[in-house]
Amino acid sequence: MMGNMIERVVEAREAKEAIDIGRLVFGTSVQLLSNTIFSIDILHPNSNEMKELHLLNANIMLLVGKPNLGDYFPFLKPFDLQGIRREIKVSYDRLHELVDDMIDRHMKNRSLGLDHRHGDLLDVLLDFTEMEGAEGLTRMDVKLLIVDFFIAGTEPITTTVEWAMAELLQNPTIYSKTKQELEHKIPLGRTVQEQDLPRLPYLMAVIKETMRLHMTAPFLLPHRAEQDVEICGYTIPKNTRVLVNAWSISKDPLYWDAPTIFKPERFMNSDITDFRSKDLSFMPFGAGRRICAGMNLAVRMESLIFATLVQKFDWKLPNGIAMGEKFGITLKKAEPLIAMPV
Ligand code: HEM
């Protein structure tokens, strides 16, 4: 998978072309996820369909995050005045078609017997469709789970790597420290691999600092109070919709020294050893029972993609860099990062 990504960057380098980093990373994360789930690539990284999926996904994130009048005035809901539901449906329908197609292929193979199982996540989920009772899943459950994984997974991974690269390219000292760590820890000529990640503390600190400063899910997902609760003297009544402002917590000067500065060193020798600090000042994947279901996979995917881009290439910026943010249900880079491999 990383081989495909490297090949595409090499091609661009030879043609002296700049690359849209977000598009490159999106294609790679779709490939990684689709191999974990379906054992094959659902789409070729350079295909028009991959471009379409990238747009669809970004569109879904933007539309889901858009304030919807129907949420504030439920009697307006059926009218879909802003057309949000209509627009989102087009994107969802296309994603459902792709996943349906994969499920059909797996079912056909399974009907041929045990030897034709792929042993991937979809096979495991389809095993549950053959179970009776509470544990059993329907085909629709399986499809919705997978659609969720694609929507929940690919966009934040893409955005995180794009920000990490953007921060590196405008901080030459951090760039060379990251590169030097890779040069020292990985034998010459070998491409960085997943099992190398625990030996790259500085690179992991860059990823953590990126996720602190550029939280992709600034309000986590909406939660609901199951009962009346009192927090800091305020009563939150049962059934209240609760949005946790993790974005602001991760920049609170009470917890963070110079919070607006990109400083990976703050995570070196710190007691925040994973992606959720004990005091919850750092929780890019949420915390507690509703914590991101794909956290471990996501950390490995984004770190490996980022490490590969830094280890294998040097980059320059043909058009400079703009660091603005764009808000949907996720927080994206407003301007795509266009960089030239050299
Ligand atoms: C950098 C990448 C990712 C980030 C930053 C991220 C972040 C989050 C956050 C903040 C939540 C909500 C937690 C809460 O409200 O308390 C969440 C939920 C979720 N994420 Fe992720 N996520 C990422 C990647 C993934 C991947 C790769 C998958 C699956 C393949 C995934 C699957 C899910 C699912 C299924 C939920 C809903 C869990 C539930 O509500 O029970 N995520 N994620």
Side-chain angles (χ1 to χ4, degrees), residues 39-87:
S39 301
I40 59 162
D41 298 337
I42 44 169
L43 296 173
H44 188 276
N46 274 343
S47 63
N48 282 335
E49 279 189 302
M50 184 68 93
K51 271 187 212 144
E52 186 197 0
L53 186 63
H54 191 186
L55 289 175
L56 290 181
N57 231 338
N59 209 19
I60 289 173
M61 291 294 170
L62 210 65
L63 291 169
V64 171
K66 219 172 183 176
N68 189 342
L69 280 177
D71 292 338
Y72 301 100
F73 305 104
F75 67 95
L76 291 177
K77 216 169 194 159
F79 304 108
D80 188 26
L81 290 178
Q82 295 145 281
I84 293 181
R85 202 180 323 132
R86 233 172 308 138
E87 215 180 318

XYZ file of all heavy atoms in Angstrom, residues 39-87:
398
model
N -10.073 -6.983 1.883
C -8.901 -7.682 1.317
C -8.515 -7.208 -0.075
O -7.622 -7.789 -0.677
C -9.088 -9.198 1.218
O -9.342 -9.740 2.441
N -9.202 -6.258 -0.641
C -8.778 -5.732 -1.939
C -8.948 -4.205 -1.953
O -9.599 -3.633 -1.086
C -9.593 -6.310 -3.131
C -11.077 -5.997 -2.948
C -9.386 -7.786 -3.298
C -11.816 -6.136 -4.252
N -8.371 -3.587 -2.987
C -8.577 -2.143 -3.141
C -9.942 -1.935 -3.766
O -10.197 -2.500 -4.838
C -7.539 -1.556 -4.118
C -6.142 -1.752 -3.583
O -6.000 -1.904 -2.364
O -5.205 -1.768 -4.403
N -10.813 -1.143 -3.130
C -12.101 -0.942 -3.800
C -11.935 -0.032 -5.008
O -12.657 -0.145 -5.971
C -13.248 -0.414 -2.903
C -12.803 0.701 -1.982
C -13.942 -1.491 -2.158
C -13.995 1.378 -1.298
N -10.975 0.877 -4.946
C -10.813 1.800 -6.069
C -9.337 2.008 -6.360
O -8.511 1.997 -5.447
C -11.422 3.167 -5.718
C -12.921 3.215 -5.478
C -13.304 4.604 -4.985
C -13.679 2.881 -6.738
N -9.001 2.254 -7.611
C -7.610 2.587 -7.937
C -7.333 4.016 -7.446
O -8.165 4.902 -7.616
C -7.399 2.484 -9.456
C -5.966 2.632 -9.826
N -5.374 3.861 -9.991
C -4.997 1.706 -10.016
C -4.097 3.684 -10.275
N -3.845 2.383 -10.309
N -6.153 4.224 -6.810
C -5.892 5.547 -6.227
C -5.975 6.700 -7.219
O -6.336 7.817 -6.847
C -4.472 5.432 -5.672
C -4.012 4.049 -5.906
C -5.082 3.263 -6.581
N -5.658 6.431 -8.493
C -5.691 7.534 -9.461
C -7.002 7.632 -10.218
O -7.126 8.451 -11.126
C -4.574 7.350 -10.497
C -3.283 7.958 -9.993
O -3.309 8.764 -9.066
N -2.177 7.561 -10.582
N -7.964 6.763 -9.874
C -9.181 6.715 -10.695
C -10.081 7.926 -10.431
O -9.988 8.577 -9.389
C -9.965 5.438 -10.380
O -10.363 5.471 -9.028
N -10.946 8.171 -11.397
C -11.903 9.263 -11.214
C -12.832 8.959 -10.055
O -13.268 9.844 -9.333
C -12.748 9.445 -12.480
C -11.950 10.192 -13.516
O -11.023 10.937 -13.185
N -12.284 9.971 -14.785
N -13.103 7.643 -9.873
C -14.004 7.267 -8.770
C -13.402 7.620 -7.412
O -14.113 7.995 -6.498
C -14.315 5.783 -8.836
C -15.406 5.486 -9.844
C -15.855 4.060 -9.738
O -14.976 3.188 -9.890
O -17.043 3.829 -9.514
N -12.057 7.462 -7.295
C -11.410 7.825 -6.024
C -11.560 9.329 -5.790
O -11.835 9.775 -4.681
C -9.933 7.411 -6.047
C -9.217 7.650 -4.742
S -9.798 6.585 -3.411
C -8.659 5.223 -3.554
N -11.383 10.119 -6.863
C -11.553 11.577 -6.723
C -12.980 11.877 -6.271
O -13.232 12.700 -5.403
C -11.308 12.253 -8.084
C -9.852 12.599 -8.286
C -9.672 13.414 -9.550
C -8.322 13.094 -10.156
N -8.291 13.080 -11.601
N -13.931 11.127 -6.891
C -15.345 11.353 -6.581
C -15.607 11.020 -5.103
O -16.248 11.782 -4.387
C -16.177 10.436 -7.495
C -17.663 10.647 -7.418
C -18.431 9.463 -8.007
O -17.792 8.493 -8.468
O -19.649 9.502 -7.977
N -15.023 9.877 -4.644
C -15.235 9.470 -3.242
C -14.674 10.518 -2.278
O -15.267 10.820 -1.247
C -14.556 8.110 -3.000
C -14.805 7.473 -1.639
C -16.280 7.146 -1.441
C -13.984 6.189 -1.470
N -13.503 11.088 -2.635
C -12.893 12.122 -1.794
C -13.840 13.311 -1.664
O -14.098 13.826 -0.579
C -11.555 12.549 -2.416
C -10.726 13.405 -1.500
N -9.561 14.000 -1.887
C -10.903 13.777 -0.213
C -9.068 14.684 -0.876
N -9.858 14.571 0.147
N -14.403 13.729 -2.805
C -15.327 14.867 -2.778
C -16.584 14.531 -1.981
O -17.070 15.323 -1.184
C -15.718 15.265 -4.206
C -14.603 15.935 -5.011
C -15.064 16.186 -6.452
C -14.222 17.268 -4.355
N -17.091 13.284 -2.206
C -18.309 12.864 -1.504
C -18.096 12.919 0.002
O -18.906 13.445 0.751
C -18.642 11.400 -1.841
C -19.125 11.054 -3.237
C -19.418 9.562 -3.331
C -20.392 11.829 -3.527
N -16.954 12.368 0.416
C -16.667 12.290 1.840
C -16.542 13.679 2.460
O -17.104 13.959 3.515
C -15.341 11.541 2.025
C -15.483 10.437 3.023
O -16.392 10.482 3.838
N -14.622 9.467 2.978
N -15.793 14.545 1.759
C -15.610 15.901 2.269
C -16.971 16.590 2.351
O -17.280 17.303 3.308
C -14.671 16.666 1.352
N -17.818 16.310 1.351
C -19.136 16.920 1.297
C -20.008 16.443 2.464
O -20.687 17.234 3.115
C -19.790 16.502 -0.034
C -20.753 17.548 -0.514
O -20.677 18.693 -0.073
N -21.666 17.166 -1.384
N -19.929 15.138 2.751
C -20.719 14.595 3.859
C -20.293 15.275 5.160
O -21.114 15.736 5.943
C -20.542 13.052 3.962
C -21.248 12.366 2.785
C -21.106 12.531 5.280
C -21.009 10.869 2.678
N -18.970 15.403 5.376
C -18.459 16.012 6.615
C -18.944 17.455 6.756
O -19.329 17.911 7.816
C -16.924 16.034 6.606
C -16.320 14.683 6.718
S -16.719 14.015 8.340
C -16.182 12.355 8.146
N -18.907 18.162 5.627
C -19.297 19.570 5.640
C -20.791 19.703 5.937
O -21.215 20.495 6.770
C -18.980 20.154 4.260
C -18.628 21.613 4.221
C -17.332 21.848 4.967
C -18.464 22.066 2.762
N -21.599 18.853 5.259
C -23.045 18.967 5.394
C -23.523 18.503 6.770
O -24.416 19.107 7.360
C -23.742 18.147 4.298
C -23.575 18.703 2.881
C -24.052 17.695 1.849
C -24.339 20.000 2.721
N -22.864 17.437 7.315
C -23.277 16.959 8.634
C -23.007 18.030 9.689
O -23.728 18.168 10.674
C -22.543 15.630 8.984
C -22.791 15.245 10.429
C -23.014 14.507 8.077
N -21.945 18.828 9.458
C -21.583 19.854 10.442
C -22.335 21.155 10.270
O -22.246 22.058 11.092
N -23.102 21.272 9.168
C -23.797 22.531 8.889
C -24.970 22.714 9.851
O -25.774 21.787 10.014
C -24.348 22.441 7.456
C -24.265 23.693 6.664
C -24.671 23.370 5.242
C -24.555 24.562 4.365
N -24.853 24.233 2.978
N -25.097 23.885 10.503
C -26.268 24.068 11.368
C -27.547 23.888 10.545
O -27.688 24.491 9.476
C -26.125 25.518 11.845
C -24.690 25.869 11.627
C -24.229 25.043 10.449
N -28.451 22.998 11.021
C -29.645 22.656 10.262
C -30.866 23.182 11.015
O -31.112 22.804 12.166
C -29.699 21.120 10.135
C -30.780 20.661 9.172
O -31.686 21.424 8.847
N -30.681 19.429 8.722
N -31.639 24.051 10.348
C -32.818 24.648 10.994
C -33.726 23.595 11.619
O -34.269 23.783 12.699
C -33.622 25.426 9.944
C -33.105 26.814 9.576
C -33.969 27.392 8.470
C -33.143 27.712 10.806
N -33.845 22.447 10.920
C -34.716 21.369 11.386
C -34.304 20.817 12.746
O -35.125 20.264 13.482
N -32.998 20.946 13.105
C -32.548 20.468 14.410
C -32.996 21.406 15.534
O -33.145 21.006 16.678
C -31.013 20.356 14.455
C -30.512 19.250 13.556
O -31.304 18.344 13.248
O -29.334 19.299 13.154
N -33.180 22.674 15.204
C -33.582 23.644 16.229
C -35.102 23.792 16.293
O -35.667 24.058 17.343
C -32.936 25.007 15.938
C -31.421 24.904 15.920
C -30.716 24.836 14.731
C -30.712 24.810 17.126
C -29.334 24.707 14.722
C -29.334 24.668 17.133
C -28.654 24.624 15.929
O -27.294 24.469 15.926
N -35.768 23.653 15.124
C -37.230 23.758 15.071
C -37.754 22.473 14.422
O -37.948 22.419 13.200
C -37.648 24.988 14.242
C -37.030 26.260 14.733
C -35.970 26.844 14.048
C -37.496 26.876 15.893
C -35.381 28.018 14.501
C -36.909 28.045 16.353
C -35.857 28.617 15.661
N -37.980 21.407 15.249
C -38.289 20.087 14.699
C -39.467 20.089 13.715
O -39.497 19.274 12.797
C -38.601 19.247 15.932
C -37.853 19.929 17.040
C -37.848 21.390 16.699
N -40.439 21.049 13.865
C -41.568 21.030 12.930
C -41.123 21.369 11.507
O -41.819 21.089 10.536
C -42.695 21.974 13.410
C -42.322 23.434 13.374
C -42.640 24.232 12.283
C -41.641 24.008 14.447
C -42.294 25.568 12.240
C -41.284 25.353 14.415
C -41.601 26.136 13.309
N -39.906 21.957 11.366
C -39.410 22.297 10.014
C -38.678 21.116 9.354
O -38.405 21.125 8.165
C -38.429 23.475 10.088
C -39.017 24.833 10.445
C -37.910 25.872 10.558
C -40.028 25.266 9.374
N -38.385 20.081 10.182
C -37.546 18.978 9.716
C -38.031 18.357 8.387
O -37.246 18.198 7.451
C -37.451 17.894 10.795
C -36.095 17.248 10.843
C -35.942 16.384 12.057
C -34.457 16.064 12.197
N -34.103 15.664 13.521
N -39.365 18.012 8.284
C -39.810 17.329 7.063
C -39.570 18.162 5.800
O -39.494 17.620 4.708
C -41.308 17.115 7.283
C -41.553 17.374 8.723
C -40.450 18.223 9.239
N -39.446 19.490 5.939
C -39.342 20.332 4.729
C -37.917 20.424 4.197
O -37.700 20.846 3.083
C -39.897 21.736 5.019
C -41.312 21.695 5.516
C -41.618 21.974 6.827
C -42.347 21.347 4.642
C -42.923 21.915 7.291
C -43.649 21.277 5.091
C -43.950 21.562 6.421
N -36.933 20.059 5.009
C -35.531 20.074 4.589
C -35.223 21.379 3.834
O -34.766 21.376 2.688
C -35.251 18.847 3.696
C -33.770 18.681 3.374
O -32.934 19.152 4.164
O -33.455 18.109 2.316
N -35.505 22.524 4.531
C -35.484 23.821 3.854
C -34.146 24.148 3.192
O -34.100 24.772 2.135
C -35.853 24.939 4.846
C -37.315 24.928 5.281
C -37.578 26.019 6.294
C -38.245 25.074 4.076
N -33.024 23.733 3.833
C -31.721 24.071 3.238
C -31.251 23.017 2.230
O -30.166 23.125 1.685
C -30.665 24.214 4.342
C -30.908 25.356 5.275
C -30.463 25.001 6.684
O -31.149 24.313 7.430
N -29.283 25.450 7.051
N -32.058 21.973 2.046
C -31.683 20.932 1.080
C -30.533 20.068 1.561
O -29.922 19.342 0.778
N -30.232 20.137 2.897
C -29.061 19.395 3.398
C -29.279 17.888 3.248
O -28.411 17.168 2.764
C -28.784 19.762 4.881
C -28.328 21.228 4.963
C -27.720 18.846 5.492
C -27.996 21.720 6.349
N -30.493 17.428 3.624
C -30.728 15.978 3.563
C -30.647 15.485 2.111
O -30.053 14.458 1.819
C -32.089 15.633 4.169
C -32.116 14.178 4.606
C -33.413 13.719 5.233
N -34.086 14.667 6.064
C -35.399 14.927 5.962
N -36.135 14.315 5.070
N -35.960 15.792 6.762
N -31.239 16.256 1.200
C -31.237 15.873 -0.222
C -29.811 15.762 -0.738
O -29.444 14.798 -1.389
C -31.974 16.964 -1.022
C -33.086 16.430 -1.890
C -33.883 17.587 -2.482
N -34.318 18.537 -1.461
C -34.283 19.874 -1.590
N -33.831 20.422 -2.681
N -34.700 20.668 -0.621
N -28.986 16.762 -0.391
C -27.620 16.792 -0.920
C -26.787 15.644 -0.346
O -26.041 14.979 -1.061
C -26.978 18.135 -0.557
C -26.037 18.624 -1.638
C -25.419 19.959 -1.263
O -26.138 20.826 -0.737
O -24.213 20.106 -1.506
